Amino acid sequence: MSKKNLDIIIIGFAIFATFFGAGNLIFPPYLGVLAGEKWYIAFAGFLVGDVVLSVLAVIVSCKYQTKGIGVLSRVGEKFSTIMGCIMLACIGPLMSIPRTGATTFEISILPLMPDANPIVFSVIFFAITLVLTVRPSKVVDNVGKFLTPALLIALAVLIIKGFLTPLGDARPDPYIDDLFATGLTQGYQTMDAFGGTIIAFLVMASIVGKGYLDKKEQISMIGKAGLVAGICLAVVYGGLCIVGTMVSMQYGADVEQTALVVAITGALLGNGGKVLLGIIIALACLTTAVGTTSAVAQFFAGVFNNKIKYEWLVIGFCVFSAIISNFGVNTIIQFSGPILSVIYPIVVAMILLSIFTEKIQNDNVFRFAAYMALLVSILTLAGVPVMQKLPLASFGLNWLIPVIVAAIVGFFVPSKKKEAVKEGGL
């Protein structure tokens, strides 16, 4: 195998592992319970809402030559910087990074060691994160070469055991009616597209660090690495979903998702299942912590023109995350969740428009769409009744039609900036 192809596989593995957190492990089996024999319909929706959108976010983000969040750049420099900082702060040290430590402790450590000290664990967890993250050019290699294979092996043990010794028959009648729509909604609501725009920093740093400087070659490699990541995600999600169908006669729609995964693992592997589940959760969370910490640190280093060194940002984020993680998963989500729910529709809208960024000459298409998404999101969060009457509101997509209308209006409003954004690296 050529060095280039090997690098693509390693980068693809790193993208997969950064996306695959503890939450991604929990939902597919539950989707299998809900859908039963018709799991493939709901799963197709989940693939579109999560995998396709997330991988697409990585690819289109890498088209832009900018220090900020690339998909936001055509809205305007100030908007991109402000929204980017809020978004990265929430998904980084305020939410996602500390949540990885808290989740690992609550699911992997406490069931096996009930008397474990959360403070001691958080120090150990983020010390490991720091060691694996402090050298930006090595982050992808650390994740792609070592952590991801270990994670995939652990997942393969669980899934293959489920196939070899099925726990039961799939329920013939699903618990839900709109199978595809439910899968699409759940995939969308994972907010993994956020991760795609952030992982782009990590991916580009790795590609440049490996000596690939030609822009077209970079984009080609990113596309292929994204395909590797997408296939891995689809196979793992699909396997977990099918395993879930095998207990769809035993559990109902009201089953708690984390308890379902614990029960399935225990039924398949006995007491050893707790250990395996703990390993899977720990590896999933660690890979996400490493990838996200590195990407967020690179973003803020760029915002501050490297006046604050990447290494110091990594240290600061790890220390801060170790402290915040001790507040617990639920507290962390309650704090940052509403902010992310406001920004996420903007990011998704910009990702979709960025597919055609070379064709769209008028920046007002992006500006009008972004501000409409922001307005609808704020009004939805504020509980304005009319927002729930908009089309697709039941799927969490009430912003979509207004954004399309706003983008069309923006197309007919002349923009001061005539040049289209050129392709390039981050």
Side-chain angles (χ1 to χ4, degrees):
M1 182 182 295
S2 68
K3 179 182 180 299
K4 183 177 179 180
N5 287 336
L6 181 60
D7 287 337
I8 288 172
I9 292 173
I10 291 172
I11 293 169
F13 275 7
I15 295 173
F16 158 79
T18 305
F19 274 132
F20 192 85
N24 304 71
L25 168 69
I26 292 169
F27 185 75
Y30 179 67
L31 191 63
V33 169
L34 293 180
E37 287 184 353
K38 298 182 179 179
W39 65 271
Y40 52 91
I41 301 176
F43 181 64
F46 186 76
L47 281 183
V48 173
D50 184 272
V51 178
V52 173
L53 188 59
S54 302
V55 173
L56 193 61
V58 177
I59 296 171
V60 299
S61 294
C62 290
K63 286 184 175 184
Y64 293 92
Q65 188 173 359
T66 174
K67 295 178 181 178
I69 301 297
V71 296
L72 300 177
S73 61
R74 292 193 64 179
V75 183
E77 183 177 352
K78 291 182 179 179
F79 182 93
S80 176
T81 301
I82 293 172
M83 284 294 170
C85 287
I86 294 173
M87 172 181 159
L88 270 292
C90 287
I91 204 169
L94 290 180
M95 182 177 175
S96 291
I97 299 174
R99 189 174 65 180
T100 58
T103 301
T104 303
F105 180 75
E106 292 178 15
I107 299 180
S108 297
I109 304 301
L110 276 183
L112 300 175
M113 295 181 285
D115 297 326
N117 188 309
I119 297 176
V120 172
F121 172 78
S122 65
V123 171
I124 295 172
F125 183 88
F126 286 104
I128 295 172
T129 301
L130 174 60
V131 170
L132 295 175
T133 308
V134 74
R135 295 180 63 186
S137 62
K138 294 295 183 182
V139 172
V140 167
D141 285 348
N142 288 335
V143 175
K145 285 183 179 179
F146 308 113
L147 296 179
T148 304
L151 174 60
L152 286 172
I153 290 171
L155 287 166
V157 170
L158 177 63
I159 294 171
I160 292 173
K161 185 64 167 62
F163 279 36
L164 294 177
T165 56
L167 298 174
D169 296 325
R171 182 183 176 86
D173 300 317
Y175 286 107
I176 50 178
D177 295 324
D178 300 321
L179 294 170
F180 183 86
T182 299
L184 178 67
T185 302
Q186 293 298 329
Y188 166 77
Q189 290 178 350
T190 62
M191 295 192 179
D192 277 348
F194 266 143
T197 61
I198 296 169
I199 293 170
F201 292 96
L202 178 67
V203 172
M204 284 305 300
S206 176
I207 288 177
V208 173
K210 292 179 183 298
Y212 302 101
L213 303 179
D214 180 76
K215 303 303 179 186
K216 290 184 178 179
E217 186 177 32
Q218 290 174 349
I219 298 300
S220 174
M221 290 183 67
I222 291 163
K224 293 175 182 177
L227 181 61
V228 171
I231 292 173
C232 289
L233 288 167
V235 170
V236 171
Y237 288 155
L240 292 171
C241 186
I242 293 172
V243 170
T245 67
M246 298 174 184
V247 294
S248 57
M249 298 288 284
Q250 303 171 36
Y251 297 97
D254 58 345
V255 64
E256 201 274 323
Q257 295 179 31
T258 303
L260 176 65
V261 174
V262 172
I264 290 174
T265 308
L268 288 173
L269 299 165
N271 291 331
K274 289 184 178 181
V275 177
L276 180 65
L277 182 61
I279 292 172
I280 292 173
I281 294 294
L283 287 171
C285 288
L286 184 60
T287 53
T288 299
V290 170
T292 306
T293 299
S294 178
V296 173
Q298 289 181 55
F299 169 81
F300 281 107
V303 168
F304 295 118
N305 294 315
N306 292 312
K307 292 180 180 179
I308 302 179
K309 297 292 186 181
Y310 166 87
E311 293 80 5
W312 288 108
L313 287 166
V314 168
I315 293 171
F317 290 157
C318 286
V319 172
F320 184 80
S321 297
I323 296 171
I324 297 299
S325 68
N326 285 282
F327 288 96
V329 175
N330 289 335
T331 302
I332 294 170
I333 293 175
Q334 288 173 4
F335 177 77
S336 298
I339 301 175
L340 292 178
S341 68
V342 170
I343 303 175
Y344 192 58
I346 303 171
V347 175
V348 175
M350 295 302 98
I351 289 171
L352 296 177
L353 284 174
S354 291
I355 299 172
F356 312 101
T357 187
E358 298 87 5
K359 304 294 183 182
I360 302 174
Q361 302 295 315
N362 190 343
D363 283 349
N364 279 334
V365 173
F366 290 81
R367 292 193 183 106
F368 280 43
Y371 284 112
M372 178 57 75
L374 178 62
L375 176 62
V376 173
S377 296
I378 291 174
L379 294 178
T380 300
L381 182 64
V384 177
V386 70
M387 293 297 104
Q388 296 305 319
K389 296 181 180 179
L390 292 174
L392 306 177
S394 60
F395 305 129
L397 298 170
N398 61 337
W399 53 269
L400 185 57
I401 300 302
V403 162
I404 292 174
V405 173
I408 293 172
V409 172
F411 178 79
F412 293 101
V413 177
S415 173
K416 293 180 181 180
K417 183 178 179 181
K418 299 295 182 182
E419 296 182 2
V421 175
K422 297 180 179 179
E423 282 193 8
L426 286 172

